[in-house]
Amino acid sequence: MMMLTGALLLTYAFAIAPATTFGDGDGVRSDRLAKAEPGTVVTVEAHAAATAAPATPPRTAPELFPPGGKTFIGVATLEGPYDFTAVNKFTTAAKRQPQVMLFSSGWATGKFDRALFDQISGRGMLPMLAWEPWDYLLDEAARKKRYAARKIDKMRSNQPSYRLSHIARGDFDSYLLSWAEGIKSLGYPVAIRFAHEMNGNWYPWCEMVNGNRPGDYVKAWRHVHDLFRAAGATNVTWVWSPNARWAGSTQNLRPLYPGDEYVDWVGLSGYYSTGSTTKYRSFEEIFNDTIKEIRGFTSKPLVITETGASDAVGRKAEWIRETFRVLPRHKDIIGLIWFEVNKELDWRIVSSPAVAKTFAQAVAAPRYQLTWSPGMLPRTALDD
């Protein structure tokens, strides 16, 4: 008899009790529990499945920038985000909204200003900061006195306070941290092109001037990178950007490379200039040797971070046309930033109607039809 009573009680517990004892903690039966047909046995497992919270839909992966098979177009102007007049003229001439804007800030006077980044991103462009450890006012003062280019380079590159070893030992850490915290707070991607053209001799962060020594550049780069990482500023795309080889350049790039774990994009500066020579140099003549050298030690995506063409001998439009004709051959180039500045020479696409028309026709190709938004994830590998 006792065994029969126990069996009846057990049947009650599983067939009837769930309808009255399982709920939301306030004695009210959960509406998520389906009514059982009379005589149906509801197991604990079935009840748990019925009362479980709805499954969260899987998150879709962020869209990569630029998408596969695309190349972004960027712009750099003299005024930067302080005045968008030149950007607007460039956009009108190109009949294409640039997706990246490069602007510079020197350490001597530049403080983090969120408004500058927000104004760029608000216009549908990824902000790329050319972050320069020097006092650029020395450069401006020399230019105002109309010194020769070599004298200007020598004057502005001699700034002992900004030696690479001083950066690496932590002299600027409080300043760096203020920027790291500011960029972290943005909540969207930012590219930093730190201490560019380090293989030259015209900036105080170049290894061959200012009392710098071999290996100092990599130490300084890694120190800055690691400080940002420790501060949680992981929304930075780090752009290592040497100058394309020029006549007489001898410095190897490999010893200046911080390593793939410290670099996301590789940049290159190079121009078709007719300031000192009338010889025509194509895009591939300017860049190919340096690209080949870089591919000997990294496969990171490549961006032409500064380029432009002068029109002193009337071949600017031709250079632009040829550049965009051969650019699709370089599958590893994911972006090109045009130096829209009239400085030393007039590099702008608005320098003449013919040049503007040629540029607009070139970037009208499907390869350059893309947009940037803050939710996109910068592409850091060519096989993404």
Side-chain angles (χ1 to χ4, degrees):
M1 181 60 131
M2 185 172 296
M3 291 179 63
L4 179 60
T5 303
L8 291 172
L9 290 173
L10 185 62
T11 301
Y12 172 82
F14 283 94
I16 302 173
T20 57
T21 60
F22 285 90
D24 294 325
D26 57 359
V28 179
R29 182 176 176 276
S30 172
D31 291 334
R32 295 192 300 271
L33 180 60
K35 291 184 179 179
E37 294 295 328
T40 301
V41 176
V42 181
T43 66
V44 174
E45 291 81 0
H47 179 273
T51 58
T56 302
R59 288 186 177 183
T60 57
E63 185 179 358
L64 293 178
F65 177 80
K70 299 289 187 178
T71 301
F72 69 74
I73 299 298
V75 65
T77 66
L78 188 62
E79 300 81 4
Y82 296 97
D83 184 349
F84 284 90
T85 301
V87 176
N88 294 338
K89 291 181 178 179
F90 175 89
T91 302
T92 300
K95 300 180 180 179
R96 176 75 58 195
Q97 164 73 41
Q99 300 90 43
V100 174
M101 183 174 182
L102 173 68
F103 72 103
S104 62
S105 180
W107 286 17
T109 58
K111 296 181 179 180
F112 176 78
D113 184 352
R114 181 186 181 113
L116 301 179
F117 292 88
D118 285 347
Q119 288 179 60
I120 295 172
S121 66
R123 287 171 169 258
M125 296 181 289
L126 168 71
M128 181 183 290
L129 170 67
W131 210 22
E132 304 171 348
W134 71 330
D135 184 354
Y136 76 92
L137 294 176
L138 296 179
D139 176 71
E140 288 192 352
R143 292 181 185 279
K144 287 180 180 179
K145 293 181 179 180
R146 299 185 179 277
Y147 289 144
R150 288 187 179 181
K151 186 173 183 178
I152 293 174
D153 288 347
K154 187 174 181 179
M155 290 178 63
R156 71 181 188 175
S157 64
N158 184 30
Q159 299 188 34
S161 296
Y162 292 96
R163 282 179 181 153
L164 293 168
S165 59
H166 294 190
I167 299 172
R169 76 187 184 189
D171 288 9
F172 297 92
D173 280 5
S174 59
Y175 176 75
L176 298 178
L177 186 59
S178 69
W179 276 82
E181 291 174 343
I183 288 177
K184 175 186 176 182
S185 72
L186 293 175
Y188 54 78
V190 169
I192 294 183
R193 182 190 182 218
F194 171 65
H196 61 287
E197 298 172 11
M198 76 302 294
N199 57 324
N201 59 8
W202 46 84
Y203 290 125
W205 56 81
C206 299
E207 277 199 348
M208 61 180 67
V209 298
N210 201 32
N212 297 321
R213 298 180 178 180
D216 283 352
Y217 182 83
V218 167
K219 291 176 183 176
W221 177 287
R222 291 179 177 178
H223 180 80
V224 174
H225 178 281
D226 289 346
L227 188 147
F228 269 66
R229 179 70 63 178
T234 56
N235 55 323
V236 175
T237 298
W238 293 94
V239 186
W240 179 77
S241 185
N243 200 87
R245 285 199 170 276
W246 64 97
S249 60
T250 58
Q251 190 169 22
N252 294 327
L253 294 178
R254 184 189 290 269
L256 298 170
Y257 186 63
D260 280 357
E261 63 271 35
Y262 291 92
V263 173
D264 299 303
W265 291 351
V266 171
L268 274 178
S269 302
Y271 293 81
Y272 165 50
S273 169
T274 51
S276 58
T277 178
T278 58
K279 181 183 178 182
Y280 180 82
R281 295 185 70 217
S282 68
F283 176 89
E284 294 195 324
E285 287 177 307
I286 294 169
F287 290 105
N288 274 11
D289 286 347
T290 313
I291 292 174
K292 183 178 179 181
E293 181 182 359
I294 288 171
R295 286 299 171 238
F297 54 83
T298 183
S299 60
K300 287 291 184 176
L302 182 64
V303 176
I304 304 301
T305 42
E306 276 187 47
T307 197
S310 69
D311 207 13
V313 294
R315 302 187 70 177
K316 184 173 184 175
E318 177 187 351
W319 190 88
I320 291 172
R321 187 181 304 109
E322 182 184 12
T323 292
F324 282 93
R325 180 178 60 81
V326 302
L327 200 56
R329 300 176 188 172
H330 297 270
K331 306 299 183 184
D332 53 346
I333 296 180
I334 64 169
L336 180 146
I337 300 175
W338 193 268
F339 193 63
E340 188 69 1
V341 175
N342 185 1
K343 176 184 175 184
E344 293 121 2
L345 295 169
D346 192 349
W347 310 104
R348 301 171 303 163
I349 67 168
V350 300
S351 61
S352 76
V355 169
K357 181 179 179 180
T358 300
F359 191 92
Q361 290 173 339
V363 299
R367 185 179 187 85
Y368 311 105
Q369 295 181 11
L370 67 151
T371 58
W372 176 83
S373 66
M376 301 180 80
L377 184 67
R379 178 184 298 278
T380 58
L382 294 172
D383 56 354
D384 284 343

